[in-house]
Amino acid sequence: MRHRHLTTAMLALGVMLLLDVLRVWLPSIITIFGQAAATPAELLGAFAVSWFLLALAAPALVRRLGARPVGLVAAGALAGARLALTAAPGGRLQLWLACAGLLAGLVWLAATAAVVARPVSGLALGLVAAAVGHALLGTEDLVWRGGWPGWTLSALLAGAFLAVQAGAGRTRAAVSTGGSGGARAWLLAGPATLLAGQLALSPAVWDAAASYRHGSPDLPGLGLPPAHVPALPILAVGLFVVAAFTRPPRWLAPVLWPAALLAGAVLFAADRADWLGPAFLLAAGGLGGCLALADALTDTHTETDTNTDARTDTGTGGDTDDAHTGGGIDTRPDAGADTRSGGGTGAGSVGSGRRGHAAVGGMLVFAVAAVAYYAAYDLGYPNGWVPVALAVLVGVVAVTGRPAAASVLPGTAPAWTAVGLMLLTAVAAGIHRPVPATERRAVAAGNVRVVAYNVRMGFGLDGRLDLDGLARAVTGSRPDVVLLSEVDRGWLLNGGHDTLALLARRLRMPYVFAPAADPVWGDAVLSRWPVRSGETRPLPAGGAPTGAQALGVTLDLGGGARLAVVATHLQPPPGRGPVTQARQVAAFATRYAAGRPLVLAGDLNTEPGDPAFLEFTGAGLVDALASARPVPTSPADDPREQIDHVFVSPGVTAADVVAPRSTASDHLPVTVTLTLP
């Protein structure tokens, strides 16, 4: 394998492993360290950012010990931590393993930056390959799957990374000779990773956007599973690859790609579900193009190495020699750079240090932006500015510099790469197609079994993604209708999973989803009967940091029978009850039911007898759990609070109330059998 291809493969595989660790580390910070908002947001943020600040010492370590030994040790630690996470039982051990893997990954990035001046090809391939692989897994990471398939694939990925890392290290005769060239491209590693995982290359967001495009005039703005293989994710992958590995005219690229990325971020920040598809398409093309621009433009300061001979090679891509264009490392005997293990103290060493600091600094931007985005849901400020600010940063860094001569990948490689990844994305969409609606002709004896469950984005009390545990807690009641709260359809902060689609496949029940906090977080109704109409209503925040909504759907039970179902998750302002939201949901539900039998359920964050609870009974609704009170549902390991409820319209009777014990979430599900009039 040519050296430049070996370097690209090493960087791509390392990025994939680092993303695997981040998908565990981010939710571990929230669910284990933060205990799902029980820890102050300021403390949580300080703990998270401290690991990235600690990594700022990595470039100095690389200069002292040498890029190759530091890179090999850090790569081994990263791969080892990744494999250990698959076996971790959750809890504090998972948190510390994820932190160790993250720190190792950051040190590895700094060591790699010291010897790679042109990282864009490896970064871009790593980001898009990780996205396509995540799509092939249905957005459920190997680290959570376990079993022999999870272990085998994880070991193969880690082994391939270590083998390529060792091979790339053996082929390096010298460090990059390019002064500080490549620093701007490395600076984009962190922002690009966050934008890709949050929006542009998130398979879970692709799923959510595809579901919003499906439906009927009776279901405006509500997400139903698509009945076909969606084209949006396939197109997004193709746009990203083509933009990242080709160049439009120089007069067009500096305007086109930053503008596309900014437009995608703005559409995403607008929190409009129907804009989600255009948002990630624009972001995918814009992000890929900005990465290519950063590779095509070198740093504005001098690129001349004081150790070089009479050649004019700058080490940043100006030489179009095949051995030098892709990897950014000149391996010819006359390279003139210091070949000692520590990299020397000449201009090459200065440049490698700047690249190392740029790589770790870019990841620090990732950490600060991720914390700022999440803390908004604890502190109550708008967070749509975070992806917009990142898009502006990426665009500015991408267009400021001076042109370099070489392209990222020569020849037809971008076209074939795009086609291959698009085909794999299509296969993923076909494999994980949602379950179709089940037609039922009539309700047996007029009975409907209902389950209401706050699933905490799929994470159990041990901090591990536990979709099988959630499915067992639900299927044990043999439900006909399931109402879910805290449903996550793509938050990178929670690992980037489409929790709803994953759970729906396990339950073999189609779903309707309505967003609350943003287009990929909200509430859902799963039903064995067809949905005939629906409506969603946003609820006033009233000082509550997280958004809320009420989702109403009408189910066709067969024989002309209809059942109105309303799912919601009330979010009270700090220190107060959700009285205003409760009043509006009760009014919405009675109006939406229009005389039909009604069931309203969810995490209402109010106890029986509280003012918010009385808003529902005052509106004429009946507490379906009254005969079994008390029915505590939170916290799941020691339930003391009765905050998950089921209300019905007069004439609907309730029986067989159960709150099955499970630690697959921080709440217990509540189940009840309803007899319709």
Side-chain angles (χ1 to χ4, degrees):
M1 182 182 290
R2 292 176 177 175
H3 176 263
R4 63 188 177 90
H5 295 312
L6 197 64
T7 303
T8 297
M10 175 198 70
L11 188 51
L13 289 169
V15 167
M16 293 175 68
L17 274 180
L18 181 56
L19 279 170
D20 268 2
V21 171
L22 279 170
R23 290 195 191 104
V24 179
W25 181 79
L26 285 165
S28 295
I29 291 291
I30 295 172
T31 61
I32 300 174
F33 182 85
Q35 299 181 357
T39 300
E42 297 85 354
L43 180 59
L44 183 150
F47 179 82
V49 172
S50 64
W51 294 95
F52 294 81
L53 292 174
L54 185 62
L56 289 175
L61 183 68
V62 170
R63 284 198 301 271
R64 178 175 294 273
L65 301 179
R68 183 182 179 189
V70 171
L72 284 173
V73 171
L78 172 61
R82 165 62 186 82
L83 291 175
L85 283 169
T86 304
R92 293 287 175 177
L93 178 59
Q94 174 182 301
L95 173 64
W96 293 117
L97 280 173
C99 290
L102 170 67
L103 185 58
L106 295 174
V107 174
W108 170 80
L109 273 181
T112 304
V115 292
V116 178
R118 300 290 293 274
V120 165
S121 56
L123 288 173
L125 284 176
L127 290 175
V128 73
V132 174
H134 211 217
L136 287 168
L137 294 170
T139 74
E140 184 180 5
D141 309 281
L142 290 172
V143 71
W144 305 120
R145 288 171 176 259
W148 71 265
W151 274 105
T152 302
L153 292 175
S154 297
L156 287 174
L157 178 61
F161 169 60
L162 292 177
V164 174
Q165 176 79 27
R170 284 194 299 270
T171 62
R172 293 182 190 129
V175 298
S176 172
T177 62
S180 59
R184 70 177 53 255
W186 278 108
L187 182 61
L188 293 186
T193 298
L194 185 55
L195 285 172
Q198 186 180 36
L199 175 60
L201 295 177
S202 170
V205 174
W206 298 342
D207 285 349
S211 69
Y212 286 130
R213 290 173 58 87
H214 179 79
S216 69
D218 293 330
L219 296 168
L222 300 182
L224 285 171
H228 56 277
V229 175
L232 288 175
I234 302 169
L235 183 57
V237 167
L239 280 173
F240 178 82
V241 174
V242 170
F245 296 122
T246 59
R247 288 189 189 162
R250 286 181 178 175
W251 60 267
L252 178 61
V255 176
L256 174 64
W257 298 132
L261 179 59
L262 180 59
V266 169
L267 289 179
F268 179 76
D271 283 351
R272 286 280 302 273
D274 50 342
W275 291 358
L276 193 55
F280 78 72
L281 286 177
L282 286 167
L287 183 60
C290 285
L291 286 174
L293 278 171
D295 186 76
L297 298 176
T298 63
D299 299 306
T300 54
H301 45 270
T302 180
E303 296 292 322
T304 304
D305 187 345
T306 58
N307 283 338
T308 56
D309 54 19
R311 294 181 300 109
T312 58
D313 182 12
T314 65
T316 60
D319 190 336
T320 57
D321 187 286
D322 183 57
H324 191 53
T325 54
I329 305 170
D330 196 335
T331 60
R332 292 171 291 184
D334 63 344
D338 193 337
T339 61
R340 293 173 293 175
S341 63
T345 58
S349 177
V350 173
S352 66
R354 286 178 177 168
R355 289 195 298 273
H357 281 106
V360 179
M363 292 305 296
L364 179 60
V365 172
F366 171 100
V368 172
V371 168
Y373 191 86
Y374 174 75
Y377 296 111
D378 284 336
L379 303 180
Y381 58 82
N383 59 6
W385 59 268
V386 174
V388 174
L390 284 177
V392 171
L393 173 64
V394 170
V396 169
V397 172
V399 301
T400 54
R402 60 183 178 84
S407 61
V408 182
L409 285 181
T412 59
W416 286 111
T417 302
V419 169
L421 291 171
M422 290 170 72
L423 287 175
L424 287 175
T425 306
V427 170
I431 292 174
H432 301 289
R433 189 177 303 180
V435 178
T438 301
E439 293 283 349
R440 278 195 178 185
R441 294 302 176 188
V443 180
N447 292 334
V448 178
R449 189 69 171 164
V450 175
V451 174
Y453 202 0
N454 180 325
V455 295
R456 196 172 78 148
M457 292 77 72
F459 288 89
L461 290 181
D462 59 1
R464 291 184 65 82
L465 188 71
D466 193 6
L467 297 166
D468 290 334
L470 291 174
R472 286 192 298 269
V474 172
T475 56
S477 301
R478 300 180 62 83
D480 300 305
V481 181
V482 180
L483 298 88
L484 300 179
S485 304
E486 291 193 13
V487 177
D488 173 23
R489 304 205 61 191
W491 270 5
L492 179 62
L493 296 164
N494 293 321
H497 316 105
D498 188 348
T499 305
L500 179 57
L502 290 165
L503 191 55
R505 282 195 290 270
R506 284 168 167 79
L507 299 177
R508 300 198 60 78
M509 298 174 73
Y511 60 81
V512 176
F513 174 77
D518 62 24
V520 293
W521 193 92
D523 309 293
V525 174
L526 293 80
S527 170
R528 300 195 187 282
W529 290 290
V531 177
R532 295 307 183 199
S533 62
E535 184 179 341
T536 182
R537 176 176 177 174
L539 300 179
T546 306
Q549 65 81 50
L551 165 64
V553 297
T554 300
L555 306 181
D556 182 358
L557 307 184
R562 297 287 192 272
L563 175 65
V565 177
V566 174
T568 191
H569 177 200
L570 303 187
Q571 297 287 340
R576 292 186 291 158
V579 177
T580 301
Q581 290 182 349
R583 184 182 304 120
Q584 294 205 4
V585 170
F588 167 81
T590 53
R591 177 191 62 78
Y592 179 77
R596 293 167 299 197
L598 166 69
V599 55
L600 183 158
D603 176 3
L604 304 184
N605 277 309
T606 185
E607 294 265 10
D610 286 350
F613 186 92
L614 297 177
E615 290 291 338
F616 294 101
T617 56
L621 300 179
V622 178
D623 178 11
L625 311 183
S627 62
R629 296 286 185 194
V631 187
T633 57
S634 178
D637 56 344
D638 183 22
R640 300 180 301 273
E641 299 178 315
Q642 302 179 70
I643 56 176
D644 299 270
H645 303 285
V646 179
F647 290 95
V648 295
S649 55
V652 177
T653 58
D656 301 326
V657 176
V658 181
R661 298 304 293 264
S662 172
T663 58
S665 172
D666 61 342
H667 286 238
L668 297 180
V670 290
T671 68
V672 59
T673 298
L674 304 179
T675 302
L676 306 184

